[in-house]
Coordinates of all heavy atoms in Angstrom, one line a residue:
M1 N 0.8 -1.2 0.0 CA 0.0 0.0 0.0 C 0.9 1.3 0.0 O 1.9 1.3 0.7 CB -0.9 0.0 1.2 CG -1.9 1.0 1.2 SD -3.1 0.7 2.6 CE -4.1 2.1 2.5
A2 N 0.5 2.2 -0.9 CA 1.3 3.5 -0.9 C 1.2 4.3 0.4 O 0.1 4.3 0.9 CB 0.8 4.2 -2.2
K3 N 2.3 5.0 0.7 CA 2.2 5.9 1.8 C 1.4 7.1 1.4 O 1.7 7.7 0.4 CB 3.7 6.2 2.1 CG 3.8 7.1 3.3 CD 5.3 7.4 3.5 CE 5.5 8.3 4.7 NZ 6.9 8.8 4.9
R4 N 0.5 7.5 2.3 CA -0.3 8.8 2.2 C 0.5 9.9 2.5 O 1.1 9.9 3.7 CB -1.6 8.6 3.0 CG -2.6 7.6 2.3 CD -3.9 7.7 3.1 NE -4.6 8.9 2.6 CZ -5.6 9.4 3.1 NH1 -6.2 8.8 4.2 NH2 -6.2 10.5 2.7
N5 N 0.4 11.0 1.8 CA 1.0 12.2 2.1 C 0.1 13.0 3.1 O -1.1 13.2 2.8 CB 1.2 13.1 0.9 CG 1.9 14.3 1.1 OD1 2.1 14.7 2.2 ND2 2.2 15.0 0.1
R6 N 0.6 13.3 4.3 CA -0.2 14.0 5.3 C -0.4 15.4 4.9 O -1.5 16.0 5.3 CB 0.6 14.1 6.6 CG 0.6 12.7 7.3 CD 1.4 12.8 8.5 NE 1.7 14.1 9.1 CZ 2.4 14.4 10.2 NH1 2.7 13.4 10.9 NH2 2.6 15.6 10.6
H7 N 0.2 15.9 4.0 CA 0.1 17.4 3.4 C 0.1 17.4 1.9 O 1.1 17.6 1.3 CB 1.2 18.3 4.0 CG 1.3 18.2 5.5 ND1 0.5 18.7 6.3 CD2 2.2 17.6 6.3 CE1 0.9 18.5 7.6 NE2 1.9 17.9 7.6
P8 N -1.1 17.0 1.3 CA -1.1 17.0 -0.1 C -0.6 18.2 -0.8 O -0.9 19.3 -0.2 CB -2.6 16.7 -0.5 CG -3.2 16.2 0.8 CD -2.4 16.8 1.9
N9 N 0.1 18.2 -1.9 CA 0.6 19.3 -2.6 C 1.7 20.0 -1.9 O 2.3 21.0 -2.4 CB -0.5 20.4 -3.0 CG -1.6 19.7 -3.7 OD1 -2.7 19.5 -3.1 ND2 -1.5 19.5 -5.0
I10 N 2.2 19.5 -0.7 CA 3.2 20.2 0.0 C 4.3 19.2 0.3 O 4.1 18.1 0.8 CB 2.7 20.9 1.3 CG1 1.7 21.8 1.1 CG2 3.9 21.4 2.2 CD1 1.0 22.4 2.3
T11 N 5.6 19.6 -0.1 CA 6.7 18.6 0.0 C 7.8 19.3 0.8 O 8.1 20.5 0.7 CB 7.2 18.3 -1.5 OG1 6.3 17.8 -2.2 CG2 8.5 17.3 -1.3
R12 N 8.4 18.5 1.8 CA 9.5 19.1 2.5 C 10.8 19.0 1.7 O 11.1 18.0 1.0 CB 9.7 18.1 3.8 CG 10.8 18.5 4.7 CD 10.4 19.7 5.5 NE 11.3 19.9 6.6 CZ 12.1 20.9 6.7 NH1 12.1 21.8 5.8 NH2 12.9 21.1 7.7
Y13 N 11.5 20.1 1.7 CA 12.8 20.1 0.9 C 13.9 20.6 1.7 O 13.8 21.5 2.5 CB 12.5 21.2 -0.3 CG 12.0 20.6 -1.5 CD1 10.7 20.4 -1.7 CD2 12.9 20.2 -2.5 CE1 10.2 19.8 -2.8 CE2 12.4 19.6 -3.7 CZ 11.1 19.4 -3.8 OH 10.6 18.8 -5.0
T14 N 15.0 20.0 1.6 CA 16.3 20.4 2.2 C 17.4 20.2 1.1 O 17.6 19.1 0.8 CB 16.5 19.6 3.5 OG1 15.5 19.8 4.3 CG2 17.8 20.1 4.2
Y15 N 17.9 21.4 0.7 CA 19.0 21.3 -0.2 C 20.3 21.5 0.4 O 20.5 22.6 1.0 CB 18.9 22.3 -1.3 CG 17.7 22.1 -2.3 CD1 16.5 22.9 -2.2 CD2 17.7 21.0 -3.1 CE1 15.4 22.7 -3.0 CE2 16.6 20.8 -4.0 CZ 15.4 21.5 -3.9 OH 14.4 21.4 -4.7
K16 N 21.2 20.6 0.5 CA 22.5 20.8 1.1 C 23.4 21.8 0.5 O 24.1 22.5 1.1 CB 23.2 19.4 1.3 CG 22.5 18.5 2.2 CD 23.4 17.1 2.1 CE 22.5 16.2 3.0 NZ 23.2 14.8 3.0
F17 N 23.3 21.8 -0.9 CA 24.3 22.6 -1.6 C 23.7 24.1 -2.0 O 24.4 24.9 -2.4 CB 24.6 21.9 -2.9 CG 25.3 20.6 -2.6 CD1 24.6 19.4 -2.9 CD2 26.6 20.5 -2.0 CE1 25.3 18.2 -2.6 CE2 27.2 19.3 -1.7 CZ 26.5 18.2 -2.0
H18 N 22.4 24.2 -1.7 CA 21.8 25.6 -2.0 C 21.3 26.2 -0.8 O 20.6 27.2 -0.8 CB 20.8 25.4 -3.1 CG 21.2 24.8 -4.3 ND1 21.9 25.6 -5.3 CD2 21.0 23.6 -4.9 CE1 22.2 24.8 -6.2 NE2 21.7 23.6 -6.1
S19 N 21.5 25.6 0.4 CA 21.1 26.1 1.7 C 19.6 26.5 1.8 O 19.3 27.5 2.3 CB 22.0 27.3 2.1 OG 21.9 28.5 1.2
F20 N 18.8 25.7 1.2 CA 17.4 25.9 1.3 C 16.8 24.8 2.2 O 17.1 23.7 2.0 CB 16.6 25.8 0.0 CG 15.2 25.9 0.2 CD1 14.5 27.2 0.3 CD2 14.3 24.8 0.2 CE1 13.2 27.3 0.5 CE2 13.0 25.0 0.5 CZ 12.3 26.2 0.6
D21 N 16.1 25.2 3.2 CA 15.3 24.3 4.1 C 14.0 24.8 4.3 O 13.7 26.0 4.7 CB 16.1 24.4 5.4 CG 15.5 23.4 6.5 OD1 15.0 22.3 6.1 OD2 15.5 23.8 7.7
G22 N 13.0 24.1 3.9 CA 11.6 24.5 4.0 C 10.6 23.5 3.3 O 10.9 22.4 3.1
F23 N 9.5 24.1 2.7 CA 8.4 23.4 2.1 C 8.2 24.0 0.7 O 8.3 25.2 0.4 CB 7.2 23.4 2.9 CG 7.4 22.9 4.3 CD1 7.8 23.6 5.3 CD2 7.1 21.5 4.4 CE1 8.0 23.0 6.6 CE2 7.3 20.9 5.7 CZ 7.8 21.7 6.8
R24 N 7.7 23.1 -0.2 CA 7.3 23.6 -1.5 C 5.8 23.2 -1.8 O 5.5 22.0 -1.5 CB 8.2 22.9 -2.6 CG 7.8 23.2 -4.1 CD 8.5 22.5 -5.2 NE 7.7 21.2 -5.1 CZ 7.9 20.3 -6.0 NH1 8.6 20.5 -7.0 NH2 7.2 19.1 -5.9
L25 N 5.1 24.3 -2.1 CA 3.7 24.1 -2.4 C 3.7 24.0 -4.0 O 4.1 24.8 -4.7 CB 2.9 25.2 -2.0 CG 1.4 25.4 -2.5 CD1 0.6 24.1 -2.0 CD2 0.8 26.6 -2.0
S26 N 3.0 23.0 -4.5 CA 2.9 22.8 -5.9 C 1.5 22.3 -6.3 O 1.1 21.1 -5.9 CB 3.9 21.9 -6.6 OG 3.9 21.8 -8.0
I27 N 0.8 23.1 -7.1 CA -0.5 22.6 -7.4 C -0.7 22.8 -9.0 O -0.3 23.7 -9.6 CB -1.7 23.6 -6.9 CG1 -1.5 23.6 -5.3 CG2 -3.1 23.1 -7.3 CD1 -2.4 24.6 -4.6
S28 N -1.2 21.7 -9.6 CA -1.5 21.7 -11.1 C -2.9 21.4 -11.5 O -3.5 20.6 -10.8 CB -0.5 20.6 -11.6 OG 0.8 20.9 -11.5
R29 N -3.2 22.1 -12.5 CA -4.7 22.0 -13.0 C -4.6 22.4 -14.4 O -4.1 23.4 -14.8 CB -5.8 22.9 -12.3 CG -6.0 22.6 -10.8 CD -6.7 21.3 -10.6 NE -7.0 21.1 -9.2 CZ -6.3 20.7 -8.3 NH1 -5.0 20.4 -8.5 NH2 -6.8 20.5 -7.1
N30 N -5.1 21.5 -15.3 CA -5.4 21.8 -16.7 C -4.0 22.4 -17.4 O -3.9 23.3 -17.9 CB -6.4 22.8 -17.0 CG -7.7 22.3 -16.5 OD1 -7.9 21.0 -16.4 ND2 -8.7 23.2 -16.3
R31 N -3.0 21.6 -17.1 CA -1.6 21.9 -17.6 C -1.1 23.3 -17.1 O -0.1 23.9 -17.7 CB -1.6 21.9 -19.2 CG -1.8 20.5 -19.7 CD -1.6 20.5 -21.2 NE -2.6 19.7 -21.7 CZ -3.0 19.7 -23.0 NH1 -2.4 20.6 -23.9 NH2 -3.9 18.9 -23.5
N32 N -1.6 23.8 -16.1 CA -1.1 25.0 -15.4 C -0.5 24.6 -14.1 O -1.2 23.8 -13.3 CB -2.2 26.0 -15.3 CG -2.7 26.5 -16.6 OD1 -2.0 27.2 -17.4 ND2 -3.9 26.1 -17.0
T33 N 0.7 25.2 -13.7 CA 1.3 24.8 -12.3 C 1.5 26.1 -11.6 O 2.0 27.1 -12.1 CB 2.4 24.1 -12.5 OG1 2.2 22.9 -13.4 CG2 3.2 23.6 -11.3
F34 N 1.3 26.0 -10.3 CA 1.7 27.0 -9.4 C 2.6 26.4 -8.4 O 2.4 25.4 -7.9 CB 0.5 27.6 -8.7 CG 0.8 28.5 -7.5 CD1 1.1 29.9 -7.8 CD2 1.0 28.2 -6.2 CE1 1.4 30.8 -6.8 CE2 1.2 29.0 -5.2 CZ 1.5 30.3 -5.5
T35 N 3.8 27.1 -8.2 CA 4.8 26.5 -7.2 C 5.2 27.7 -6.4 O 5.6 28.8 -6.9 CB 6.0 26.0 -8.0 OG1 5.5 24.9 -8.8 CG2 7.0 25.3 -7.0
K36 N 5.4 27.5 -5.0 CA 6.0 28.5 -4.2 C 6.7 27.8 -3.1 O 6.2 26.7 -2.6 CB 4.8 29.4 -3.5 CG 5.4 30.3 -2.6 CD 4.5 31.4 -2.2 CE 5.0 32.4 -1.0 NZ 6.4 32.6 -1.0
Y37 N 7.9 28.4 -2.7 CA 8.7 27.8 -1.7 C 8.5 28.6 -0.4 O 8.4 29.8 -0.4 CB 10.2 27.7 -2.1 CG 10.4 26.8 -3.2 CD1 10.3 27.2 -4.5 CD2 11.0 25.5 -2.8 CE1 10.5 26.2 -5.5 CE2 11.2 24.6 -3.8 CZ 11.0 25.0 -5.2 OH 11.3 24.1 -6.2
F38 N 8.5 27.8 0.7 CA 8.2 28.5 2.0 C 9.5 28.1 3.0 O 9.6 27.0 3.5 CB 7.0 28.0 2.8 CG 5.7 28.4 1.9 CD1 5.3 27.7 0.9 CD2 5.0 29.6 2.3 CE1 4.2 28.0 0.2 CE2 3.9 29.9 1.6 CZ 3.5 29.2 0.6
S39 N 10.4 29.0 3.1 CA 11.7 28.8 3.8 C 11.5 28.9 5.3 O 10.9 29.8 5.8 CB 12.8 29.6 3.1 OG 13.3 30.4 4.1
V40 N 12.2 28.0 5.9 CA 12.2 28.2 7.4 C 12.9 29.3 7.8 O 12.5 29.9 8.8 CB 12.9 26.8 8.0 CG1 13.1 27.0 9.5 CG2 12.1 25.5 7.7
R41 N 13.9 29.8 7.1 CA 14.6 31.0 7.5 C 13.6 32.2 7.4 O 13.7 33.0 8.3 CB 15.7 31.3 6.4 CG 16.7 32.5 6.9 CD 17.7 32.8 5.9 NE 18.4 31.6 5.5 CZ 19.3 31.5 4.5 NH1 19.5 32.6 3.8 NH2 19.9 30.4 4.2
Q42 N 12.8 32.2 6.4 CA 11.9 33.4 6.3 C 10.7 33.3 7.3 O 10.5 34.3 7.9 CB 11.2 33.3 4.9 CG 10.1 34.4 4.6 CD 9.5 34.3 3.3 OE1 9.7 33.3 2.6 NE2 8.5 35.1 2.9
Y43 N 10.3 32.3 7.7 CA 9.1 32.1 8.7 C 9.5 31.7 10.1 O 8.7 31.7 11.0 CB 8.2 31.0 8.1 CG 7.4 31.4 6.8 CD1 7.9 31.1 5.6 CD2 6.3 32.2 7.0 CE1 7.2 31.6 4.6 CE2 5.6 32.7 5.9 CZ 6.2 32.4 4.6 OH 5.5 32.9 3.5
G44 N 10.9 31.4 10.3 CA 11.3 31.2 11.6 C 11.4 29.8 12.1 O 12.3 29.5 12.7
T45 N 10.5 29.0 11.9 CA 10.4 27.7 12.4 C 9.7 26.7 11.3 O 9.0 27.3 10.4 CB 9.5 27.4 13.6 OG1 8.1 27.7 13.3 CG2 10.0 28.4 14.8
D46 N 9.9 25.4 11.3 CA 9.4 24.5 10.5 C 7.8 24.7 10.5 O 7.1 24.6 9.5 CB 9.8 23.1 10.9 CG 11.1 22.7 10.4 OD1 11.8 23.5 9.8 OD2 11.5 21.5 10.7
K47 N 7.4 24.7 11.8 CA 5.9 24.7 12.0 C 5.2 26.0 11.3 O 4.2 25.9 10.6 CB 5.6 24.7 13.5 CG 4.2 24.7 13.8 CD 4.1 24.6 15.4 CE 2.6 24.4 15.8 NZ 2.5 24.3 17.2
E48 N 5.8 27.1 11.4 CA 5.3 28.3 10.7 C 5.4 28.4 9.3 O 4.5 28.8 8.6 CB 6.1 29.6 11.3 CG 5.7 29.9 12.8 CD 4.1 30.2 13.0 OE1 3.6 30.9 12.2 OE2 3.7 29.6 13.9
A49 N 6.5 27.8 8.7 CA 6.6 27.6 7.3 C 5.6 26.6 6.6 O 4.9 27.0 5.7 CB 8.0 27.2 6.9
L50 N 5.3 25.6 7.4 CA 4.4 24.6 6.9 C 3.0 25.2 7.1 O 2.2 25.1 6.1 CB 4.5 23.3 7.7 CG 3.4 22.2 7.5 CD1 3.5 21.8 6.0 CD2 3.5 21.1 8.5
K51 N 2.7 25.9 8.1 CA 1.5 26.6 8.3 C 1.1 27.6 7.2 O 0.1 27.6 6.6 CB 1.4 27.3 9.7 CG 0.1 28.0 9.9 CD 0.1 28.7 11.3 CE -1.1 29.5 11.6 NZ -1.0 30.3 12.9
A52 N 2.2 28.4 6.8 CA 2.0 29.3 5.7 C 1.8 28.6 4.4 O 0.8 29.0 3.6 CB 3.3 30.2 5.6
A53 N 2.3 27.5 4.1 CA 2.2 26.8 2.9 C 0.7 26.1 2.9 O 0.0 26.1 1.9 CB 3.1 25.6 2.8
Q54 N 0.2 25.7 4.0 CA -1.0 25.1 4.2 C -2.1 26.2 3.9 O -3.1 25.9 3.3 CB -1.2 24.4 5.6 CG -0.4 23.1 5.7 CD -0.5 22.6 7.1 OE1 -0.4 23.4 8.0 NE2 -0.5 21.3 7.2
E55 N -1.9 27.3 4.5 CA -2.9 28.4 4.3 C -3.1 28.9 3.0 O -4.1 29.0 2.4 CB -2.5 29.6 5.3 CG -2.8 29.3 6.7 CD -2.2 30.4 7.7 OE1 -1.6 31.3 7.2 OE2 -2.4 30.3 8.9
M56 N -1.8 28.9 2.2 CA -1.9 29.3 0.7 C -2.6 28.3 0.0 O -3.4 28.5 -1.0 CB -0.6 29.6 0.3 CG -0.7 30.2 -1.2 SD 0.8 30.8 -1.8 CE 0.7 32.6 -1.3
R57 N -2.2 27.0 0.3 CA -2.9 25.8 -0.4 C -4.4 26.0 -0.3 O -5.1 25.7 -1.1 CB -2.3 24.5 0.1 CG -3.0 23.3 -0.5 CD -2.7 22.0 0.0 NE -3.2 22.0 1.4 CZ -2.7 21.1 2.4 NH1 -1.8 20.3 2.0 NH2 -3.2 21.2 3.5
A58 N -4.8 26.1 1.0 CA -6.4 26.2 1.3 C -7.0 27.3 0.4 O -8.0 27.2 -0.1 CB -6.6 26.3 2.8
R59 N -6.4 28.6 0.4 CA -6.9 29.6 -0.3 C -7.0 29.3 -1.8 O -8.1 29.5 -2.5 CB -6.1 30.8 -0.2 CG -6.1 31.5 1.2 CD -5.2 32.6 1.4 NE -4.9 33.6 0.3 CZ -3.9 34.2 0.0 NH1 -2.8 34.1 0.9 NH2 -3.9 35.1 -0.9
I60 N -5.9 28.7 -2.5 CA -5.9 28.4 -3.9 C -7.0 27.3 -4.1 O -7.7 27.5 -5.1 CB -4.5 28.0 -4.3 CG1 -3.6 29.1 -4.2 CG2 -4.6 27.5 -5.7 CD1 -2.1 28.9 -4.4
L61 N -7.0 26.2 -3.4 CA -7.8 25.1 -3.6 C -9.4 25.6 -3.5 O -10.2 25.2 -4.3 CB -7.6 24.0 -2.7 CG -6.3 23.3 -2.9 CD1 -6.1 22.0 -2.0 CD2 -6.2 22.8 -4.4
A62 N -9.6 26.5 -2.5 CA -11.0 27.0 -2.4 C -11.4 27.8 -3.7 O -12.5 27.6 -4.2 CB -11.1 27.9 -1.2
E63 N -10.5 28.5 -4.3 CA -10.8 29.3 -5.5 C -10.9 28.3 -6.7 O -11.8 28.5 -7.5 CB -9.7 30.3 -5.9 CG -9.8 31.5 -4.9 CD -8.8 32.5 -5.3 OE1 -8.7 32.9 -6.4 OE2 -8.2 33.1 -4.3
L64 N -10.2 27.3 -6.7 CA -10.4 26.3 -7.7 C -11.6 25.5 -7.7 O -12.0 24.9 -8.7 CB -9.0 25.4 -7.8 CG -7.7 26.0 -8.2 CD1 -6.6 24.9 -7.9 CD2 -7.7 26.3 -9.6
Q65 N -12.2 25.4 -6.6 CA -13.5 24.7 -6.4 C -14.7 25.4 -7.0 O -15.7 24.8 -7.3 CB -13.7 24.5 -4.9 CG -12.7 23.5 -4.2 CD -12.9 22.1 -4.8 OE1 -13.8 21.6 -5.2 NE2 -11.7 21.5 -4.8
E66 N -14.6 26.7 -7.3 CA -15.7 27.4 -7.8 C -16.0 27.0 -9.2 O -15.1 26.5 -9.9 CB -15.3 29.0 -7.8 CG -15.2 29.6 -6.5 CD -14.7 31.0 -6.5 OE1 -14.7 31.6 -7.5 OE2 -14.3 31.5 -5.4
D67 N -17.2 27.1 -9.6 CA -17.7 26.4 -10.9 C -17.0 27.0 -12.1 O -16.7 26.4 -13.1 CB -19.3 26.7 -11.0 CG -20.0 25.8 -10.1 OD1 -19.4 24.8 -9.6 OD2 -21.2 26.1 -9.7
D68 N -16.8 28.3 -12.1 CA -16.2 29.1 -13.1 C -14.7 29.3 -13.0 O -14.2 30.2 -13.7 CB -17.0 30.4 -13.5 CG -16.9 31.3 -12.3 OD1 -16.6 30.9 -11.2 OD2 -17.2 32.5 -12.5
A69 N -14.1 28.5 -12.2 CA -12.6 28.7 -12.0 C -11.7 28.5 -13.1 O -11.9 27.6 -13.9 CB -12.2 27.8 -10.8
D70 N -10.9 29.5 -13.3 CA -9.8 29.4 -14.4 C -8.6 29.3 -13.7 O -7.9 30.2 -13.2 CB -10.0 30.7 -15.3 CG -8.9 30.8 -16.3 OD1 -8.1 29.7 -16.6 OD2 -8.6 31.8 -16.9
P71 N -7.9 28.0 -13.7 CA -6.6 27.8 -13.0 C -5.6 28.7 -13.4 O -4.8 29.2 -12.6 CB -6.4 26.4 -13.4 CG -7.6 25.8 -13.8 CD -8.5 26.9 -14.4
K72 N -5.4 29.0 -14.7 CA -4.3 29.9 -15.2 C -4.5 31.3 -14.6 O -3.5 31.9 -14.1 CB -4.3 29.9 -16.7 CG -3.3 30.9 -17.2 CD -3.2 30.9 -18.7 CE -2.1 31.7 -19.4 NZ -1.3 32.5 -18.6
A73 N -5.8 31.8 -14.6 CA -5.9 33.2 -14.1 C -5.7 33.2 -12.6 O -5.0 34.1 -12.0 CB -7.4 33.6 -14.3
I74 N -6.1 32.2 -11.8 CA -5.9 32.1 -10.4 C -4.4 32.0 -10.1 O -3.9 32.7 -9.2 CB -6.7 30.9 -9.8 CG1 -8.2 31.1 -9.9 CG2 -6.2 30.6 -8.4 CD1 -9.0 29.8 -9.5
F75 N -3.7 31.1 -10.8 CA -2.3 31.0 -10.5 C -1.5 32.3 -10.9 O -0.6 32.6 -10.1 CB -1.7 29.7 -11.4 CG -2.2 28.4 -10.9 CD1 -2.2 27.4 -11.8 CD2 -2.8 28.3 -9.6 CE1 -2.6 26.1 -11.3 CE2 -3.3 27.0 -9.2 CZ -3.2 25.9 -10.1
D76 N -1.9 32.9 -12.0 CA -1.2 34.1 -12.4 C -1.4 35.2 -11.3 O -0.5 36.0 -11.1 CB -1.7 34.7 -13.8 CG -1.2 33.8 -14.9 OD1 -0.2 33.0 -14.7 OD2 -1.8 33.9 -16.0
R77 N -2.7 35.2 -10.7 CA -2.9 36.3 -9.7 C -2.0 36.1 -8.5 O -1.4 37.0 -8.0 CB -4.3 36.2 -9.4 CG -4.7 37.5 -8.5 CD -6.2 37.6 -8.2 NE -6.7 36.5 -7.3 CZ -7.4 35.5 -7.7 NH1 -7.8 35.3 -9.0 NH2 -7.8 34.5 -6.9
Y78 N -1.9 34.8 -8.1 CA -1.0 34.5 -7.0 C 0.4 34.8 -7.2 O 1.2 35.2 -6.3 CB -1.3 33.0 -6.4 CG -2.4 32.9 -5.5 CD1 -3.7 32.6 -6.0 CD2 -2.3 33.1 -4.2 CE1 -4.8 32.6 -5.3 CE2 -3.4 33.0 -3.4 CZ -4.7 32.7 -3.9 OH -5.7 32.6 -3.1
K79 N 0.9 34.4 -8.5 CA 2.2 34.8 -8.9 C 2.6 36.3 -8.8 O 3.5 36.8 -8.4 CB 2.5 34.2 -10.2 CG 2.6 32.7 -10.3 CD 2.8 32.2 -11.6 CE 2.8 30.6 -11.6 NZ 2.8 30.0 -13.0
Q80 N 1.6 37.0 -9.3 CA 1.7 38.5 -9.3 C 1.7 39.0 -7.9 O 2.4 39.9 -7.5 CB 0.4 39.1 -10.0 CG 0.5 40.7 -10.1 CD 1.7 41.2 -10.9 OE1 2.2 40.6 -11.8 NE2 2.1 42.3 -10.5
E81 N 0.9 38.5 -6.9 CA 0.8 38.8 -5.6 C 2.2 38.6 -5.0 O 2.8 39.4 -4.2 CB -0.2 38.0 -4.9 CG -0.4 38.3 -3.5 CD -1.5 37.3 -2.8 OE1 -2.5 37.3 -3.4 OE2 -1.1 36.6 -1.7
M82 N 2.7 37.5 -5.3 CA 4.2 37.2 -4.7 C 5.2 38.1 -5.3 O 6.1 38.5 -4.5 CB 4.5 35.6 -5.0 CG 3.7 34.7 -4.4 SD 4.1 32.9 -4.7 CE 4.9 32.9 -6.2
A83 N 5.1 38.4 -6.5 CA 6.2 39.3 -7.1 C 6.0 40.7 -6.5 O 7.0 41.4 -6.2 CB 5.9 39.5 -8.6
E84 N 4.7 41.1 -6.3 CA 4.5 42.5 -5.6 C 5.1 42.4 -4.1 O 5.7 43.4 -3.8 CB 3.1 42.8 -5.7 CG 2.6 43.2 -7.0 CD 1.1 43.3 -7.1 OE1 0.4 43.2 -6.1 OE2 0.6 43.6 -8.3
A85 N 4.9 41.3 -3.5 CA 5.4 41.3 -2.1 C 6.9 41.3 -2.1 O 7.6 42.0 -1.2 CB 4.8 40.0 -1.4
K86 N 7.5 40.6 -3.0 CA 9.0 40.6 -3.1 C 9.5 42.0 -3.4 O 10.5 42.4 -2.9 CB 9.3 39.5 -4.2 CG 10.9 39.4 -4.3 CD 11.2 38.3 -5.1 CE 12.7 38.1 -5.3 NZ 13.1 36.9 -6.2
A87 N 8.9 42.6 -4.3 CA 9.3 44.0 -4.7 C 9.2 44.9 -3.6 O 10.1 45.7 -3.2 CB 8.5 44.5 -5.9
A88 N 8.0 44.9 -2.9 CA 7.8 45.7 -1.8 C 8.9 45.4 -0.6 O 9.4 46.4 0.0 CB 6.5 45.5 -1.2
K89 N 9.3 44.2 -0.5 CA 10.3 43.7 0.5 C 11.7 44.4 0.2 O 12.4 44.9 1.0 CB 10.4 42.3 0.7 CG 11.3 41.9 1.8 CD 11.3 40.3 1.9 CE 12.3 39.9 3.0 NZ 12.2 38.4 3.1
S90 N 12.0 44.3 -1.1 CA 13.3 44.7 -1.6 C 13.4 46.3 -1.5 O 14.4 46.9 -1.2 CB 13.7 44.3 -3.0 OG 12.8 44.9 -4.0
Q91 N 12.3 46.9 -1.7 CA 12.3 48.4 -1.5 C 12.4 48.8 0.0 O 13.1 49.8 0.2 CB 10.9 49.0 -2.0 CG 10.8 49.1 -3.5 CD 9.6 49.6 -4.0 OE1 8.6 49.8 -3.2 NE2 9.4 49.8 -5.3
K92 N 11.9 48.1 0.9 CA 12.1 48.2 2.3 C 13.6 48.1 2.7 O 14.1 48.9 3.4 CB 11.3 47.3 3.1 CG 10.3 47.8 4.0 CD 9.7 46.7 4.8 CE 8.2 47.1 5.1 NZ 7.6 46.1 6.0
V93 N 14.2 47.1 2.2 CA 15.6 46.9 2.4 C 16.5 48.0 1.9 O 17.4 48.4 2.6 CB 16.1 45.5 1.8 CG1 17.7 45.4 1.9 CG2 15.4 44.4 2.6
E94 N 16.1 48.6 0.7 CA 17.0 49.8 0.2 C 16.8 51.0 1.1 O 17.7 51.7 1.1 CB 16.5 49.9 -1.3 CG 16.9 48.8 -2.1 CD 16.4 49.0 -3.6 OE1 15.8 50.0 -3.8 OE2 16.6 48.1 -4.3
A95 N 15.7 51.2 1.6 CA 15.3 52.4 2.3 C 16.0 52.5 3.7 O 16.8 51.9 4.2 CB 13.8 52.6 2.5

């Protein structure tokens, strides 16, 4: 019997050579994929990084459940949201 994933769409990642430790959220629908990494360094603890990944997964899956859901539009909106958050963070660092 196959092992069940306790956290569907979320995978624990530890890269020794790239110093990443955290979780990857990956959701695919109709040949469209959304992927986001949640680093322990950014969120402080494993528990907080996993919680952030679970919360984003819940938000995305809820939107995908709607009758007229367009996966590409939903994923693009979340990617744009992440890009804006990253830009705002880099502007804060520069100031």
Side-chain angles (χ1 to χ4, degrees):
M1 188 168 175
K3 183 179 175 183
R4 288 187 74 190
N5 184 353
R6 290 181 9 178
H7 307 290
N9 306 102
I10 299 174
T11 307
R12 177 78 164 112
Y13 271 83
T14 303
Y15 292 112
K16 293 179 184 177
F17 301 108
H18 299 288
S19 70
F20 176 82
D21 181 32
F23 298 88
R24 181 189 73 167
L25 169 64
S26 184
I27 301 172
S28 295
R29 295 289 187 281
N30 300 338
R31 293 189 222 159
N32 296 290
T33 301
F34 173 83
T35 302
K36 174 160 175 40
Y37 289 85
F38 297 83
S39 124
V40 172
R41 185 182 314 167
Q42 178 183 2
Y43 289 92
T45 65
D46 283 0
K47 188 175 181 178
E48 289 300 316
L50 177 59
K51 181 180 173 185
Q54 291 170 323
E55 288 172 355
M56 182 168 278
R57 177 189 64 199
R59 288 174 41 209
I60 293 172
L61 292 179
E63 289 187 40
L64 290 171
Q65 294 294 324
E66 296 175 10
D67 291 334
D68 59 346
D70 177 8
K72 182 174 179 359
I74 292 169
F75 295 160
D76 286 347
R77 191 174 70 251
Y78 277 91
K79 289 174 185 175
Q80 181 65 32
E81 179 183 306
M82 292 180 338
E84 289 170 1
K86 185 175 182 178
K89 185 177 178 181
S90 68
Q91 286 179 351
K92 238 185 206 183
V93 171
E94 291 174 5

